[in-house]
Amino acid sequence: MSNNRGCSTGFKVGRVGEEPEDAAGTARRMELAGNVRAVRIRLAAACAKAGRDADEVTLVAVTKTRPAVDVVHLAALGVGDIGENRDQEAAPKAAEVAATGTRVRWHFVGQLQRNKCRSVVCYADVVHSVDSARLAAALAEAVRRHRERPLDVLVQVSIDGDPARGGAVSAVGHGHGPAEENVALDRVLARVTEADGLTLQGLMAVAPLGWEPARAYETLAVIVADVRRDYPSCTLLSAGMSDDFETAIGYGATHVRVGSALLGNRPTLM
Ligand SMILES: *Cc1c(COP(=O)(O)O)cnc(C)c1O
């Protein structure tokens, strides 16, 4: 957002949308339209099965490794929530999309280094991946210095209690002992809550590798219920990806982060 203090506006901005669409562009647009339709059908079926309204669940399209023009197509198809996991890629892409006049909500969903906070607060509408007290403090400081409005935050929790793979560690839900203070979920939640520029909206998690989705999201639901006793405003839950979002919806996800089912398989593993 260019009206934020000290935010770079110096990205080299591409020409998305300025040139007439060629055959390949049309084919890509049609492919994305079909994928969006298929994912919306899966999402509606999962909500019906869980006895939930389809509009309780926000579809976040994870566009990492994909060009800005895909974001513009998705927005035109009604998918206006866009997820990215690397600042180096997301910052110029957000500038490029903004230059077309397309408005989307940017969700930062990847592991965030403290030295990237300053950049991320300039374009992100929501950060899903706050998983340490030190990161919360750095993000709050970046908001104070470089952003006009507060930043919506989800605290990322570790489902298996192993902080090495990202996520703050809860005292409930798994067999691990007390976590180091910086990544203890209670501590991270408290740090976000007391920070002026951060608005705690909910929790986020990634299913651990090798876990059955049902086991992962059931464990997550126990952690979520425990957190909501102390933080009733912690209403959002970002969980579920292309292969397992139906299961996550069954366990209360309000935001599903879908990459490959919408955009196709990524050329490289991210
Ligand atoms: C890439 C990514 C996704 C989407 O993964 P798919 O399996 O392609 O749907 C979701 N969440 C995070 C944090 C990601 O990095």
Side-chain angles (χ1 to χ4, degrees):
M1 307 291 137
S2 53
N3 60 344
N4 282 327
R5 290 181 303 269
C7 286
S8 167
T9 51
F11 293 109
K12 199 167 149 283
V13 165
R15 295 162 52 83
V16 177
E18 277 182 17
E19 284 158 15
E21 189 176 76
D22 61 9
T26 305
R28 178 62 172 160
R29 191 161 49 77
M30 303 303 279
E31 180 188 4
L32 290 175
N35 291 348
V36 168
R37 205 173 311 122
V39 167
R40 290 265 184 226
I41 288 169
R42 283 175 59 188
L43 204 144
C47 287
K49 190 173 167 208
R52 303 177 60 194
D53 278 345
D55 62 10
E56 284 177 38
V57 179
T58 300
L59 174 61
V60 179
V62 181
T63 53
K64 62 189 180 198
T65 78
R66 300 297 182 179
V69 63
D70 279 0
V71 177
V72 173
H73 288 323
L74 288 167
L77 293 163
V79 182
D81 287 272
I82 302 296
E84 286 285 335
N85 73 335
R86 287 173 61 244
D87 174 65
Q88 298 92 308
E89 180 183 348
K93 200 183 294 184
E96 203 176 336
V97 171
T100 69
T102 298
R103 293 280 165 263
V104 298
R105 276 173 66 75
W106 291 97
H107 298 250
F108 192 86
V109 303
Q111 218 168 53
L112 178 55
Q113 283 149 5
R114 278 178 286 159
N115 63 359
K116 301 292 185 198
C117 287
R118 174 194 169 136
S119 172
V120 166
V121 301
C122 287
Y123 59 86
D125 296 286
V126 194
V127 173
H128 290 224
S129 44
V130 176
D131 64 355
S132 77
R134 282 196 288 271
L135 176 59
L139 204 54
E141 176 64 9
V143 169
R144 192 181 70 72
R145 296 172 61 141
H146 301 294
R147 190 178 162 101
E148 308 286 348
R149 354 170 228 113
L151 179 69
D152 286 345
V153 158
L154 308 184
V155 169
Q156 182 176 352
V157 303
S158 164
I159 291 177
D160 64 2
D162 179 0
R165 285 208 293 269
V169 178
S170 164
V172 303
H174 52 73
H176 284 252
E180 187 225 325
E181 196 176 338
N182 182 44
V183 296
L185 181 57
D186 284 347
R187 188 73 204 97
V188 181
L189 289 165
R191 192 71 194 77
V192 169
T193 306
E194 72 200 22
D196 268 341
L198 307 182
T199 308
L200 177 66
Q201 297 282 10
L203 301 176
M204 178 273 219
V206 178
L209 279 178
W211 281 45
E212 281 294 319
R215 176 177 172 224
Y217 296 128
E218 188 178 9
T219 304
L220 177 61
V222 172
I223 298 170
V224 169
D226 183 63
V227 167
R228 283 184 183 153
R229 272 192 288 277
D230 291 331
Y231 298 92
S233 67
C234 205
T235 53
L236 305 186
L237 178 59
S238 166
M241 319 203 309
S242 289
D243 292 338
D244 64 7
F245 69 78
E246 287 96 338
T247 308
I249 286 172
Y251 287 99
T254 65
H255 288 64
V256 293
R257 307 180 308 270
V258 180
S260 49
L262 286 171
L263 292 128
N265 289 323
R266 285 179 291 278
T268 52
L269 254 170
M270 297 290 290

